[in-house]
Amino acid sequence: MMNIKSPSPLYLKGTNNQAILLLHSFTGTVKDVKHLATTLNEQGFTCYVPNYPGHGLPVTQFVAYNVEDWWHCVQEAYQFLKSEGFEKINVAGVSLGGLFTLRLAENVELNRIVVMSAPSEKTKAGISWRLEKYGKRMNDIMRLSESESTHELAQIEDYQNDIKTFQEVINDIMSHLNEITATARIVYGGQDEAAYEDSAHYIFNQISSEHKTIQEFPRNQHLMTHGEGRDELEQDIVKFFTEQ
C-alpha cells in the first residue's frame, strides 16, 4: 500500500493590501483552485488555500472528519489572514468551497465573494455517491487489492450520520442567505447538472448584497476551475476582484 500524505496548504504572498481565501470542493484538494490562486497572485493578491482535514487521504482517514471539522479549518484560514494583517479579505470557493464562502459571509465581514457551483441542497445518495467515487479513485492510486478496496469502501456505511450533518449544514447556510451583504459574484457551469443553475439563482435571489451579479459559463463543468472554460472563468474572477 502506498503511503499518502495530506496535501499542504498553499500560501502565495502578493504585492497589494488584499487577500483572497480560496476554498476547494468536497472530496477535492488544494489542486482544485491552485491555478486560480496563482493567476490571482500574479495580479498582486495574497492567496491562501487551506486543505480540509481528511481530503486527499484514503477513505478510512477521510471519514474520521466531518463537515464541521472542515468548517473549522476554513475559520482558522480566515483568522490566519487576519493575523497576517489583512483588513480586506475576499473569498472564492467551488462547490463545498462555495457553500463555505456563503457561510463565512454570513458570520464575518468580507470584502467580495465568488461562489462557484454551490448546491442549495444535496441528497444522502448524492453525497454517498461522491464519497464512493472518491474512495475508488484513492484505492486505485494506492493500488489496493480487491479485498482491501472493499474494506475501505465499507467505511462509507458508517458515515451516514455525518452525511446527515452535512445536509443540515447546507440547510442552515441556505436559511441565512439574507444576512449576506458582501459584494457577490455567483457563477455556474453550463455543462453541470441543471440543479446547480437553479441553486445559483436561488442563492442570488436570497442574498441581501447591494452589489451582486450572476453568470453562466457555458463550457464549464461542475469543477469550474478545471477543464473547458477555465481561462475565461479566471479572467472574469480577476476582473471582479480588481474592479473598483
Side-chain angles (χ1 to χ4, degrees):
M1 182 186 294
M2 287 179 62
N3 185 30
I4 305 288
K5 292 184 178 180
S6 180
S8 300
L10 179 68
Y11 187 40
L12 304 172
K13 291 190 177 182
T15 55
N16 66 27
N17 64 348
Q18 290 195 51
I20 303 177
L21 175 61
L22 293 107
L23 303 172
H24 67 76
S25 69
F26 174 59
T27 71
T29 67
V30 168
K31 288 182 181 178
D32 284 356
V33 289
K34 184 177 181 179
H35 195 277
L36 175 58
T38 302
T39 300
L40 288 165
N41 179 247
E42 289 169 354
Q43 298 296 317
F45 293 97
T46 289
C47 295
Y48 185 55
V49 188
N51 196 86
Y52 315 144
H55 283 65
L57 296 176
V59 170
T60 47
Q61 295 175 59
F62 186 102
V63 297
Y65 306 95
N66 67 17
V67 66
E68 293 297 359
D69 297 308
W70 310 329
W71 168 238
H72 183 65
C73 172
V74 171
Q75 290 175 300
E76 286 185 333
Y78 170 79
Q79 290 300 330
F80 168 71
L81 288 173
K82 293 288 283 186
S83 71
E84 289 287 281
F86 291 100
E87 294 181 4
K88 281 190 174 183
I89 296 177
N90 308 280
V91 187
V94 59
S95 196
L96 173 59
L99 289 171
F100 282 152
T101 298
L102 294 169
R103 196 178 197 188
L104 201 57
E106 291 170 355
N107 286 276
V108 299
E109 186 176 341
L110 299 175
N111 186 44
R112 287 173 177 250
I113 61 172
V114 175
V115 179
M116 300 173 268
S117 307
S120 57
E121 61 181 358
K122 289 292 287 183
T123 64
K124 263 192 173 186
I127 297 170
S128 291
W129 176 82
R130 178 68 61 185
L131 195 48
E132 186 175 335
K133 188 177 178 183
Y134 169 81
K136 288 178 178 177
R137 186 172 78 243
M138 293 304 301
N139 292 348
D140 287 344
I141 290 171
M142 294 188 295
R143 302 187 184 95
L144 298 189
S145 67
E146 190 173 335
S147 61
E148 289 171 330
S149 181
T150 299
H151 172 74
E152 285 282 324
L153 295 176
Q155 310 304 310
I156 298 171
E157 280 301 312
D158 297 327
Y159 201 65
Q160 296 306 305
N161 285 338
D162 292 298
I163 289 176
K164 185 179 179 183
T165 301
F166 193 170
Q167 291 179 296
E168 290 168 352
V169 166
I170 295 174
N171 293 338
D172 183 67
I173 292 168
M174 293 302 129
S175 67
H176 292 93
L177 290 174
N178 65 326
E179 296 173 16
I180 295 176
T181 58
T183 298
R185 182 81 165 142
I186 313 297
V187 299
Y188 60 95
Q191 302 303 310
D192 199 359
E193 297 172 24
Y196 287 93
E197 179 179 352
D198 296 339
S199 294
H201 283 279
Y202 178 79
I203 291 164
F204 176 79
N205 290 328
Q206 293 298 313
I207 62 176
S208 298
S209 309
E210 274 188 43
H211 304 287
K212 59 182 180 178
T213 51
I214 185 170
Q215 181 72 45
E216 176 188 11
F217 284 81
R219 298 197 298 141
N220 295 64
Q221 298 188 30
H222 181 69
L223 189 59
M224 300 182 70
T225 49
H226 281 243
E228 287 287 320
R230 182 194 71 181
D231 293 345
E232 292 89 340
L233 173 69
E234 287 188 350
Q235 291 311 308
D236 182 86
I237 292 173
V238 166
K239 182 180 177 183
F240 173 72
F241 282 130
T242 54
E243 66 188 6
Q244 298 300 314

